[in-house]
Amino acid sequence: MDMEATANGSIVESQRLLIDGPTNPMVTPMLTDLYQYTMAYAYWKAGKHDERAVFDLYFRRNPFGGEYTIFAGLEECIRFIANFKITEEDISFLHDVLPSTCEDGFFEYLRGVDCSDVEVHAIAEGSVVFPKVPLLRVEGPIVQLLETPFLNLVNYASLVATNAARHRLVAGKSKVLLEFGLRRAQGPDGGISASKYCYLGGFDATSNVAAGRLFGIPLRGTHSHAFVSSFMSPDEIIEKSLRSSDGSCTCEDFVSLVQTWLSKIQWLPSFRGIFSETNQSELAAFTSYALAFPNSFLALVDTYDVIRSGVPNFCAVALALSDLGYKAVGIRLDSGDLAYFSCEARKFFSVIEKEFDVPGFGKMSITASNDLNEETLDALNKQGHEVDAFGIGTYVVTCYAQAALGCVFKLVEINNQPRIKLSEDVSKVSIPCKKRCYRLYGREGYPLVDILTGENEPPPKVGERILCRHPFNESKRAYVVPQFVEELLKCYWPGTSDKPREELPSLQKIRERCMNQLEQMRPDHMRRLNPTPYKVSVSAKLYDFIHFLWLNEAPVGELQ
Amino acid sequence: MDMEATANGSIVESQRLLIDGPTNPMVTPMLTDLYQYTMAYAYWKAGKHDERAVFDLYFRRNPFGGEYTIFAGLEECIRFIANFKITEEDISFLHDVLPSTCEDGFFEYLRGVDCSDVEVHAIAEGSVVFPKVPLLRVEGPIVQLLETPFLNLVNYASLVATNAARHRLVAGKSKVLLEFGLRRAQGPDGGISASKYCYLGGFDATSNVAAGRLFGIPLRGTHSHAFVSSFMSPDEIIEKSLRSSDGSCTCEDFVSLVQTWLSKIQWLPSFRGIFSETNQSELAAFTSYALAFPNSFLALVDTYDVIRSGVPNFCAVALALSDLGYKAVGIRLDSGDLAYFSCEARKFFSVIEKEFDVPGFGKMSITASNDLNEETLDALNKQGHEVDAFGIGTYVVTCYAQAALGCVFKLVEINNQPRIKLSEDVSKVSIPCKKRCYRLYGREGYPLVDILTGENEPPPKVGERILCRHPFNESKRAYVVPQFVEELLKCYWPGTSDKPREELPSLQKIRERCMNQLEQMRPDHMRRLNPTPYKVSVSAKLYDFIHFLWLNEAPVGELQ
């Protein structure tokens, strides 16, 4: 081992020590397809295991019928390679699983494998990204072994972040978006990842305690229908006293205070005929919940009947709290016609504000949940509603509208030889060569086009005209004079190179980047219906090379 | 603490010691919705935390437009409760997250919480199950805290097992089904759980190394397109010798042997005009792979052109292997018209078998992959194909056709008081009471109906007529004379009761149960198009009680 290698080795070592392992401890070099190891053996056997390969990780189509995607999952990929190590137990398992003809030297080789000589360039996590542009460019000798874990860590993360961003765009900036999906998520960390990447894509909070703790995401939650049904009547409430908010006095019988308010509400002429008796188990549950959380009283009002029971019961408790100087938070609706009920509840609150002179009561927060998704949010907007916060679960976390993103990991160069993957389906042909990627911005500040070039081509220059070509369609091309040029791929894992390593930003920073990038896009790329595709192009030189290589590799048919 | 409690305590302790924690170490009491802890506080504050509640976990609709579901996830639920413990770190986090008004006594209480006084009855994992029938019945004082983790562990597990079973039914028993979904799965254990529950539902193997190791699932995998493109020409192969299968001789130049066979194939009159030159990098890759795995040579043949390059190259290598006493396994197709290519490849193999007199060559295995799902399998069957094994990824693991199952966890009794959850949507009304569940079988051995009864009702008897009523539809009812009665809910976690605990069977046994149960169902319930709904009923007594409680709880409107 020469001096340089030692120096590099210790840099790698120190980097590794600074970067935690993947969030889920099950993400190890064994979280992969078996063929990665059969191929590793075949490469080793052919003496090709030290050849440097370049792979691009990219997707071919934006999800959800849209024209944009949010890139997420990068931090987990870097954590994975920073801690990549095949353990003795792993090796012994592989030894059992692979054919007995596999030579021992291979297992010896696996013992020494790590990612110290792998180099990873990537687009910043949280960026708006487009088909065919490499999200990660991975180079090195054992890169094939990273394919499955990288795809697993990027595919779902990017899918759910994109889904969250789409929900945010429909809901509008002023609404609160809460992610409630853990119970329906695809497995335990389907839930945990969903909470992380929904937050990244623009949600405000989650119900998931584990995710809140792991990632510092704000947590939200109050009570369920079961809490309401678990009470029978206010008579069961034993501890009835509540101290006022400022501590100056104590109401000895909060239950009676609530009952008094309920009678007052019942006798309001405005509510004549709307309701008579409310459900007593619900009233008991609300009262108990307020006694437990006087500062943050939020009630689920649809267990029995929203307008005839839930809302009046809530108001009675909120007014009793108000007497003691507490301000109730609001209600949650979890069934029925959310637009209608939210408007009716708002009217109810406004009447209370006016009749009893309680300033701000009409602005009580209304949260809606129950199988919400992009379409239902859109429909609610069109109908008109009074909802302030949306709790979204199943549809956002399982990406119900499209449950998978199709990122692929394709070989583009080996031993400095560019490689292409052909296919009868043109959209599946890969763009060969180790490449650089740029985003070109126009006069109005919007991104105009992404362009891929060969590694050694001069970069596009501000104010200089450059020809952008569609990679596979001869006739699609355009000259662009960029006002600003952004190089997209940055070095996140330098391997043995001396490139500086980009820091991994906090989730909060990544979320801000995502929000800023979404803001920056031309609106027609972002709309739900018939969005305009954003253009992804290659340089003239790369275009020519792709087509030279294509002709070279494709077999020639014979007419008969 | 009296003697009995001590005795029970140590039984619970010993049970806990025998049961491992959940497969994913991230499954802890923190993997839950925050509202489970706000409710726990409100219960504690109201002195209700020691009340015994009964919750049912069930779903309301079968997934994928079908009329059956496979129940899975039970073992993980039992592992979870057997190891349920809120740590000091958890408590300190909850302390930070809950309002500062929460009293210290609550956190003290949480320190002592475990599941030793919880009782869990469940249907055996791997069973065919139906809407409204409780999959788990959970009783005890802190059961609310189990809601989110249980739903998370059951929802996806049952969904993906059902999806796998549906794929198996379409593919037929004779085909090999391989799960290849890890890279597109919803996060790391979306992948690991998928592999487990696909196997449970009838798949034969997985590509997922971690899942193979964790659950003893057979592993499969060979090579990818990148492996093929990473070679340039057979000239790069340095180590060219291959020992014969019986060790009796060594072929010093296997590369030349392959080339010789390729020429022989090229000159066969049957193939005149079908192909001329094959791709040399592909030939090099196949040859290398065969040198590494002479006993298990399976080649991906669609990197360049299936019929003009991949299949002839494969045959040349397979024939060379055959000279040395090795039997090649077959080919994999990953694009294009799989029906057509499989038939063409089969014809090619048959010609080779005949022309070169290689017995069995025509029966070479053909594996197909590339975005397969129930519909494409069905379409392939209708077209006719020669595929022996299907590799299925995205569509089976992400349950693309329906990405979530809607299991719910509803309170049905508290302090021996039955509870009902009403809803304007009748399908969402819960069936109250602690219940027993039976499956009644008819003369032909098929299950006829599931029936739910109150806990203390006498069980249905073989040969005795019993009235089975639809729980919510007055006019739907039928008399049944069962030939066999199976009680569905068994005790998997006895808590402080002295009931014997059902063993948790191996995954292999659960899979067998699933296969047997699917076999036993009347075929019209199982078909893909317009399946007949299987009937789920309640006893006459339970029916009356549901409707009594319903009237009692629903508010009465006022006409105006």
Side-chain angles (χ1 to χ4, degrees):
Chain A
M1 197 186 279
D2 62 19
M3 276 302 288
E4 202 189 316
T6 315
N8 279 326
S10 57
I11 290 165
V12 170
E13 196 56 38
S14 68
Q15 283 176 355
R16 185 180 304 144
L17 293 175
L18 290 173
I19 298 178
D20 288 336
T23 301
N24 186 338
M26 299 175 88
V27 180
T28 75
M30 295 291 100
L31 188 75
T32 195
D33 293 307
L34 180 65
Y35 80 2
Q36 311 295 4
Y37 285 103
T38 53
M39 285 192 273
Y41 180 73
Y43 284 132
W44 177 84
K45 181 84 177 134
K48 284 170 74 74
H49 54 293
D50 281 333
E51 291 183 356
R52 281 187 81 80
V54 183
F55 282 79
D56 282 350
L57 189 153
Y58 62 96
F59 58 92
R60 295 176 181 132
R61 243 202 322 249
N62 291 300
F64 310 118
E67 290 295 347
Y68 67 97
T69 298
I70 305 299
F71 171 44
L74 173 61
E75 180 186 345
E76 295 291 335
C77 290
I78 300 300
R79 285 171 170 230
F80 177 68
I81 57 169
N83 295 276
F84 189 99
K85 182 82 196 125
I86 304 173
T87 67
E88 280 309 312
E89 294 73 44
D90 296 342
I91 287 171
S92 131
F93 179 73
L94 290 171
H95 198 281
D96 293 348
V97 164
L98 294 175
S100 56
T101 50
C102 289
E103 296 167 29
D104 287 343
F106 172 65
F107 300 102
E108 199 46 54
Y109 153 72
L110 286 185
R111 273 188 188 93
V113 164
D114 63 18
C115 290
S116 56
D117 41 11
V118 170
E119 210 175 309
V120 179
H121 288 71
I123 298 181
E125 188 161 5
S127 297
V128 175
V129 292
F130 303 99
K132 299 194 279 281
V133 179
L135 308 176
L136 291 107
R137 188 186 78 199
V138 191
E139 317 166 41
I142 58 115
V143 172
Q144 181 72 63
L145 278 181
L146 304 175
E147 176 180 35
T148 311
F150 272 22
L151 288 174
N152 181 275
L153 292 169
V154 169
N155 264 324
Y156 176 59
S158 300
L159 185 71
V160 75
T162 308
N163 203 15
R166 295 181 63 87
H167 282 77
R168 167 55 74 197
L169 282 178
V170 183
K173 280 185 202 171
S174 66
K175 302 298 173 190
V176 173
L177 290 187
L178 312 168
E179 177 271 310
F180 284 174
L182 178 58
R183 64 188 58 194
R184 302 280 167 83
Q186 297 203 349
D189 84 19
I192 290 175
S193 310
S195 304
K196 176 177 179 181
Y197 298 113
C198 281
Y199 185 64
L200 188 161
F203 273 54
D204 297 294
T206 179
S207 65
N208 181 338
V209 181
R213 175 155 70 166
L214 278 165
F215 309 116
I217 305 170
L219 281 166
R220 288 292 189 84
T222 53
H223 70 82
S224 70
H225 296 116
F227 182 81
V228 175
S229 346
S230 76
F231 286 81
M232 304 296 285
S233 94
D235 302 340
E236 359 169 18
I237 302 176
I238 298 153
E239 176 57 49
K240 300 178 181 180
S241 72
L242 182 62
R243 226 161 157 203
S244 66
S245 167
D246 60 7
S248 65
C249 62
T250 296
C251 165
E252 292 305 334
D253 190 348
F254 185 71
V255 175
S256 294
L257 184 60
V258 168
Q259 295 280 16
T260 309
W261 272 113
L262 187 60
S263 310
K264 286 189 197 166
I265 297 170
Q266 271 164 335
W267 287 105
L268 279 184
S270 321
F271 298 146
R272 192 75 38 85
I274 292 183
F275 75 100
S276 50
E277 279 185 17
T278 63
N279 186 291
Q280 290 300 290
S281 56
E282 181 177 68
L283 186 65
F286 289 0
T287 308
S288 271
Y289 197 80
L291 284 165
F293 297 105
N295 274 310
S296 51
F297 175 59
L298 193 156
L300 176 60
V301 294
D302 70 339
T303 306
Y304 300 102
D305 187 304
V306 174
I307 301 303
R308 291 188 292 194
S309 183
V311 169
N313 278 338
F314 165 79
C315 289
V317 177
L319 287 165
L321 282 173
S322 174
D323 281 350
L324 297 169
Y326 295 104
K327 206 174 161 317
V329 175
I331 60 167
R332 178 159 72 95
L333 300 165
D334 189 41
S335 60
D337 183 334
L338 301 173
Y340 170 78
F341 283 133
S342 68
C343 293
E344 290 301 302
R346 181 70 69 212
K347 279 189 226 156
F348 210 107
F349 297 151
S350 300
V351 170
I352 301 267
E353 169 162 352
K354 199 168 132 258
E355 296 280 352
F356 300 120
D357 193 22
V358 193
F361 204 98
K363 295 211 164 55
M364 200 64 77
S365 164
I366 301 175
T367 300
S369 49
N370 189 31
D371 287 347
L372 294 176
N373 58 27
E374 266 192 84
E375 277 66 43
T376 48
L377 291 183
D378 194 46
L380 283 170
N381 287 345
K382 282 174 184 148
Q383 279 175 78
H385 64 83
E386 286 289 336
V387 177
D388 304 295
F390 293 103
I392 309 182
T394 312
Y395 288 92
V396 71
V397 306
T398 66
C399 300
Y400 207 90
Q402 181 183 325
L405 180 65
C407 281
V408 294
F409 193 73
K410 293 290 170 193
L411 180 72
V412 294
E413 191 175 297
I414 187 161
N415 272 340
N416 299 314
Q417 299 285 332
R419 303 303 286 150
I420 191 168
K421 154 83 179 74
L422 301 182
S423 173
E424 288 179 33
D425 178 356
V426 172
S427 74
K428 285 191 164 188
V429 175
S430 64
I431 300 180
C433 302
K434 180 169 170 183
K435 296 177 288 291
R436 290 179 186 267
C437 310
Y438 304 91
R439 184 158 294 174
L440 310 185
Y441 292 74
R443 274 182 210 293
E444 294 170 67
Y446 294 127
L448 291 179
V449 63
D450 286 3
I451 184 167
L452 317 180
T453 74
E455 226 233 327
N456 299 317
E457 288 186 58
K461 286 201 187 68
V462 169
E464 269 186 27
R465 202 171 77 148
I466 182 168
L467 181 62
C468 298
R469 298 201 64 163
H470 185 289
F472 305 120
N473 187 328
E474 199 177 17
S475 64
K476 287 190 179 175
R477 59 220 159 125
Y479 283 108
V480 173
V481 181
Q483 300 304 305
F484 176 65
V485 174
E486 181 188 11
E487 178 152 20
L488 294 175
L489 292 173
K490 305 266 166 70
C491 180
Y492 282 87
W493 187 255
T496 49
S497 81
D498 53 4
K499 293 174 191 161
R501 179 169 72 76
E502 292 287 322
E503 283 305 308
L504 294 171
S506 67
L507 179 57
Q508 194 58 51
K509 288 273 178 228
I510 297 172
R511 183 175 189 272
E512 280 163 27
R513 178 181 188 87
C514 177
M515 300 301 96
N516 289 337
Q517 288 241 323
L518 287 167
E519 194 78 9
Q520 212 177 33
M521 293 300 299
R522 217 173 61 201
D524 59 314
H525 298 308
M526 315 304 285
R527 68 185 171 216
R528 286 189 65 231
L529 280 180
N530 300 320
T532 315
Y534 179 85
K535 288 187 179 57
V536 172
S537 65
V538 296
S539 68
K541 201 168 164 189
L542 183 55
Y543 179 90
D544 290 341
F545 188 74
I546 293 170
H547 294 266
F548 161 78
L549 209 62
W550 195 335
L551 286 178
N552 222 27
E553 294 281 1
V556 187
E558 276 188 34
L559 290 175
Q560 30 181 345
Chain B
M1 198 187 277
D2 62 19
M3 276 301 290
E4 203 188 316
T6 316
N8 277 327
S10 57
I11 289 166
V12 169
E13 196 55 38
S14 67
Q15 283 176 355
R16 185 179 305 143
L17 292 175
L18 290 172
I19 298 178
D20 287 336
T23 301
N24 186 338
M26 298 175 90
V27 180
T28 75
M30 296 290 99
L31 189 75
T32 194
D33 292 307
L34 181 65
Y35 80 1
Q36 309 296 4
Y37 285 102
T38 52
M39 285 191 274
Y41 180 72
Y43 285 131
W44 177 84
K45 180 82 178 136
K48 283 171 75 75
H49 54 293
D50 281 334
E51 291 183 357
R52 281 187 82 80
V54 183
F55 282 79
D56 283 350
L57 189 154
Y58 62 95
F59 58 92
R60 296 176 181 132
R61 245 203 320 252
N62 290 301
F64 311 117
E67 290 295 347
Y68 67 97
T69 298
I70 305 299
F71 171 43
L74 174 60
E75 180 187 346
E76 295 290 335
C77 289
I78 301 301
R79 285 170 170 233
F80 176 68
I81 57 169
N83 296 276
F84 188 99
K85 183 82 196 126
I86 304 173
T87 67
E88 281 307 312
E89 293 73 44
D90 297 341
I91 287 170
S92 131
F93 180 73
L94 290 171
H95 199 283
D96 293 347
V97 163
L98 293 175
S100 56
T101 51
C102 289
E103 297 167 28
D104 286 344
F106 172 65
F107 300 102
E108 199 45 54
Y109 153 72
L110 286 185
R111 274 189 186 92
V113 164
D114 64 17
C115 290
S116 56
D117 40 11
V118 170
E119 211 176 307
V120 180
H121 288 70
I123 298 181
E125 189 161 4
S127 297
V128 175
V129 291
F130 304 99
K132 299 193 281 278
V133 180
L135 308 176
L136 292 107
R137 187 185 79 199
V138 191
E139 317 166 41
I142 58 114
V143 172
Q144 180 71 63
L145 279 181
L146 304 174
E147 177 180 35
T148 312
F150 272 23
L151 287 174
N152 181 274
L153 293 168
V154 169
N155 263 323
Y156 177 58
S158 300
L159 184 72
V160 74
T162 308
N163 202 17
R166 295 181 62 88
H167 282 78
R168 167 55 73 198
L169 283 178
V170 182
K173 279 187 205 170
S174 65
K175 300 299 172 189
V176 173
L177 290 187
L178 313 168
E179 177 271 312
F180 283 174
L182 178 58
R183 64 188 58 195
R184 302 279 167 84
Q186 298 204 350
D189 84 18
I192 290 176
S193 311
S195 304
K196 175 176 180 182
Y197 298 113
C198 281
Y199 184 64
L200 188 160
F203 273 53
D204 297 294
T206 180
S207 65
N208 181 338
V209 180
R213 173 154 71 164
L214 278 165
F215 309 117
I217 306 169
L219 282 166
R220 289 292 190 84
T222 53
H223 70 83
S224 70
H225 296 117
F227 182 80
V228 175
S229 345
S230 77
F231 286 81
M232 303 296 285
S233 94
D235 301 340
E236 355 168 23
I237 302 177
I238 298 154
E239 176 56 50
K240 299 178 183 181
S241 73
L242 181 63
R243 217 148 166 215
S244 67
S245 169
D246 59 7
S248 65
C249 62
T250 296
C251 166
E252 293 304 334
D253 190 349
F254 185 71
V255 176
S256 295
L257 183 59
V258 168
Q259 297 279 16
T260 309
W261 272 113
L262 187 60
S263 311
K264 287 192 197 166
I265 298 170
Q266 272 165 336
W267 288 105
L268 279 183
S270 321
F271 298 145
R272 192 77 35 90
I274 292 185
F275 76 100
S276 50
E277 280 185 16
T278 62
N279 186 292
Q280 289 299 292
S281 57
E282 182 178 66
L283 186 65
F286 289 0
T287 307
S288 270
Y289 197 80
L291 284 165
F293 297 106
N295 275 309
S296 50
F297 176 59
L298 193 156
L300 176 60
V301 294
D302 69 339
T303 305
Y304 300 103
D305 188 304
V306 174
I307 301 302
R308 292 188 292 195
S309 183
V311 169
N313 278 340
F314 165 79
C315 289
V317 176
L319 288 164
L321 283 173
S322 175
D323 280 351
L324 297 168
Y326 296 105
K327 207 174 159 321
V329 175
I331 59 168
R332 178 159 73 93
L333 300 165
D334 189 41
S335 60
D337 183 335
L338 301 172
Y340 170 78
F341 283 132
S342 68
C343 295
E344 289 301 301
R346 182 70 69 212
K347 278 190 226 158
F348 210 107
F349 298 151
S350 301
V351 169
I352 300 266
E353 168 162 355
K354 198 168 133 256
E355 295 282 352
F356 299 120
D357 193 22
V358 194
F361 204 99
K363 295 211 165 53
M364 200 63 76
S365 164
I366 300 176
T367 301
S369 49
N370 189 28
D371 287 349
L372 294 175
N373 59 26
E374 267 192 83
E375 277 66 42
T376 48
L377 291 183
D378 193 47
L380 283 169
N381 287 345
K382 282 175 184 149
Q383 279 175 77
H385 64 82
E386 286 288 337
V387 177
D388 304 294
F390 293 103
I392 308 181
T394 312
Y395 288 92
V396 71
V397 306
T398 66
C399 300
Y400 208 89
Q402 181 183 326
L405 180 65
C407 280
V408 293
F409 193 72
K410 292 290 169 193
L411 179 73
V412 295
E413 191 174 296
I414 187 161
N415 272 339
N416 299 314
Q417 299 286 331
R419 304 304 285 148
I420 191 169
K421 154 81 179 76
L422 301 182
S423 172
E424 287 176 37
D425 178 355
V426 171
S427 74
K428 285 192 164 186
V429 174
S430 64
I431 300 180
C433 301
K434 182 170 170 179
K435 296 177 288 291
R436 289 178 187 268
C437 311
Y438 303 92
R439 184 158 293 175
L440 309 184
Y441 291 76
R443 275 183 209 291
E444 293 170 69
Y446 294 127
L448 291 178
V449 63
D450 286 3
I451 184 168
L452 316 181
T453 75
E455 227 236 324
N456 299 317
E457 288 186 56
K461 285 202 187 68
V462 169
E464 268 185 30
R465 198 172 78 149
I466 181 169
L467 182 62
C468 298
R469 299 201 62 163
H470 186 287
F472 305 120
N473 188 330
E474 202 178 15
S475 65
K476 287 191 178 172
R477 59 222 160 124
Y479 284 109
V480 172
V481 181
Q483 301 304 305
F484 176 67
V485 174
E486 181 188 12
E487 178 152 19
L488 294 176
L489 292 173
K490 306 265 166 70
C491 182
Y492 282 86
W493 186 256
T496 49
S497 81
D498 53 5
K499 293 174 191 161
R501 181 168 72 76
E502 292 286 323
E503 283 305 310
L504 294 171
S506 67
L507 179 58
Q508 194 58 50
K509 288 271 177 231
I510 297 172
R511 183 176 189 272
E512 280 164 24
R513 176 180 190 86
C514 177
M515 301 298 97
N516 289 337
Q517 288 241 324
L518 287 167
E519 194 79 9
Q520 212 177 32
M521 293 301 300
R522 216 174 61 201
D524 59 315
H525 298 308
M526 315 304 285
R527 67 184 171 218
R528 284 189 68 230
L529 279 180
N530 299 321
T532 315
Y534 178 85
K535 288 187 180 56
V536 172
S537 65
V538 295
S539 67
K541 202 168 162 189
L542 184 55
Y543 178 89
D544 291 341
F545 188 74
I546 294 169
H547 294 267
F548 161 76
L549 208 62
W550 194 334
L551 286 178
N552 223 27
E553 295 280 1
V556 186
E558 276 187 34
L559 291 173
Q560 33 181 341

